[in-house]
Amino acid sequence: MSEKARRLHVHTFGSPAGIPVLALHGVTGHGARWQSLADALPELRWIGVDLRGHGRSSWSPPWGIEQHVADALAVLDRLKIEDAAVIGHSYGGAIAVHLARAAPDRVERLVLLDPAIGLDPDDMLETAEETRTDESYPDVESARADKAQRWAGIAEDLVEAEVAAHLAHLGDRWEWRYCRSAAVAAWSEMARPAL
């Protein structure tokens, strides 16, 4: 088994006998965010990957698109999946496009949800700079309140699921499970020209 495949955390949902769907999340996200979509389509075999630098996967660089593509292929290899439907949201959409380009025989079909491709470099600089600021909380309630405000209009049970799956106690503070450096690198990758 490849070292890359071992270092990525994978969430599985749905039917183990179903058509495999490799699900790639956006920057600062995690593979468990695909749970509600998987619940709506339980006949599929959902494979939600925590991208490198996110969730419970290794936070070690490199964090570029080519590495994420190699990691995704390593996960498919580890699970002995020849080809899969691939769904990507935001940064995951950009990775999915590069995956389809690099290994078209491994991608049975491609679904892109608001893919972050060819975004304005000045906007990405501003977003990357905002990402560098501290986003930690003294307690779970503060984190939950901030997430609920940022996700205004999102169902409360989804906010609760995000807190349960993605909030970690680090030292004396609570933080979301993603590496700020990986997020900054991702914003840069999203400024690449579209393929």
Side-chain angles (χ1 to χ4, degrees):
M1 177 184 344
S2 141
E3 179 63 25
K4 287 181 247 174
R6 249 189 248 112
R7 295 189 332 199
L8 291 186
H9 185 79
V10 174
H11 306 264
T12 56
F13 314 104
S15 170
I19 295 169
V21 178
L22 179 67
L24 305 172
H25 62 78
V27 69
T28 75
H30 54 96
R33 282 195 182 161
W34 296 101
Q35 175 78 57
S36 57
L37 187 55
D39 289 347
L41 299 165
E43 68 279 6
L44 301 174
R45 178 183 179 189
W46 289 87
I47 304 145
V49 177
D50 285 352
L51 296 175
R52 183 182 295 257
H54 292 78
R56 290 174 172 83
S57 286
S58 169
W59 285 14
S60 297
W63 303 299
I65 286 176
E66 288 75 17
Q67 183 64 59
H68 291 303
V69 166
D71 288 347
L73 290 170
V75 167
L76 291 177
D77 290 344
R78 180 179 85 187
L79 297 175
K80 297 179 176 35
I81 296 172
E82 289 300 315
D83 65 351
V86 178
I87 184 170
H89 170 248
S90 190
Y91 185 46
I95 296 165
V97 166
H98 285 268
L99 174 61
R101 185 170 185 233
D105 56 319
R106 304 295 299 271
V107 178
E108 187 269 329
R109 70 184 64 205
L110 187 61
V111 178
L112 303 176
L113 304 173
D114 193 22
I117 300 171
L119 301 182
D120 179 80
D122 292 330
D123 289 346
M124 293 303 91
L125 172 61
E126 184 178 330
T127 304
E129 287 297 309
E130 290 170 1
T131 301
R132 291 175 8 144
T133 61
D134 179 44
E135 189 182 43
S136 66
Y137 308 91
D139 53 50
V140 174
E141 270 312 308
S142 299
R144 180 182 293 112
D146 183 57
K147 186 59 73 177
Q149 178 195 359
R150 291 173 190 250
W151 285 12
I154 301 296
E156 186 176 325
D157 62 321
L158 294 177
V159 173
E160 288 302 319
E162 182 71 5
V163 169
H166 202 45
L167 192 65
H169 192 244
L170 303 172
D172 63 344
R173 305 284 291 174
W174 292 85
E175 297 182 20
W176 303 110
R177 289 183 205 272
Y178 71 91
C179 174
R180 289 208 179 330
S181 300
V184 168
W187 296 119
S188 172
E189 292 287 278
M190 289 182 254
R192 286 184 183 196
L195 292 173

